[in-house]
Amino acid sequence: EVALDLQSVVRTYRQASGSLEVLRGASLTLRAGEIVALVGPSGAGKSTLLHVAGLLEKPDGGSVQVDGRPAENLDDGERTRLRRDTIGFVYQFHHLLPEFSAVENVMIPQMVAGVSRAAARTRARTLLDRVGLLPREGHRPARLSGGEQQRVAIMRALANDPRVLLADEPTGNLDHTTGDLVMGELVGLVRDTGLAALVATHNLELARRMDRIVELRDGLLVPYAA
Ligand code: ADP
Ligand code: ADP
């Protein structure tokens, strides 16, 4: 079952110095249950690829399908809905809402999607419990450690039961030991839930724990060869 399909994706940015072709025909197929590491030097286009895959940016060429649904001909409202229903994002910085508690941060996307407050709270507490954060459910992000903040952000990304998880350097802000732990949990969660995940990381040690590694090189995705 294909969860995410990118075919010959092209993305060009216009810059003062001319146009920059960041993606030049990148292709990738992710099956449900598969966790793939995305590597490549800084500036290679990893974030761009994740934005295009996550329907946040439109490609200039090629096609994107999420959960079997082509994104090309959707209007903005339909794209937003498809994104909300099928994709979860995790960033290097947690982007939690500072005025809300941990449990509320995990409830909010569910309520935006139409889930009742009570049901959202129940699910949010179950999710926080899986990463040992139930005792901290009432804390605002500022009172959580970096690792705890990222765990909450990961559970928020999973709150609406997405088909695809896109993560951009999810442990890049954490110290080595914490990053290792959080990435291990992330891999475990993906394996348990059977969603597909694409995880950009600079850390090859972490990348090797995933099912395979793809590298962005010259705007193309190629199997990583050590
Ligand atoms: P990575 O995530 O691998 O570090 P990015 O996708 O962030 O790479 O960036 C790839 C290249 O595209 C970089 O040279 C960056 O400066 C450029 N870029 C990214 N976003 C934009 C934008 N909105 N406008 C112009 N150039 C951009
Ligand atoms: P670029 O510079 O490549 O345009 P940005 O990182 O500025 O990329 O943002 C790309 C898109 O991602 C924008 O539509 C922005 O609103 C969205 N975005 C950025 N951060 C978040 C976030 N934490 N949650 C949801 N969407 C985000």
Side-chain angles (χ1 to χ4, degrees), residues 94-110:
H94 59 76
H95 292 297
L96 296 171
L97 296 170
E99 299 305 318
F100 292 90
S101 67
V103 71
E104 286 165 343
N105 268 281
V106 182
M107 290 167 65
I108 288 165
Q110 301 178 69

Side-chain angles (χ1 to χ4, degrees), residues 55 58 70-83:
L55 311 180
K58 290 182 189 173
E72 280 80 64
N73 298 315
L74 304 180
D75 65 32
D76 287 351
E78 291 168 331
R79 285 169 68 84
T80 300
R81 228 165 302 129
L82 180 56
R83 177 167 66 234

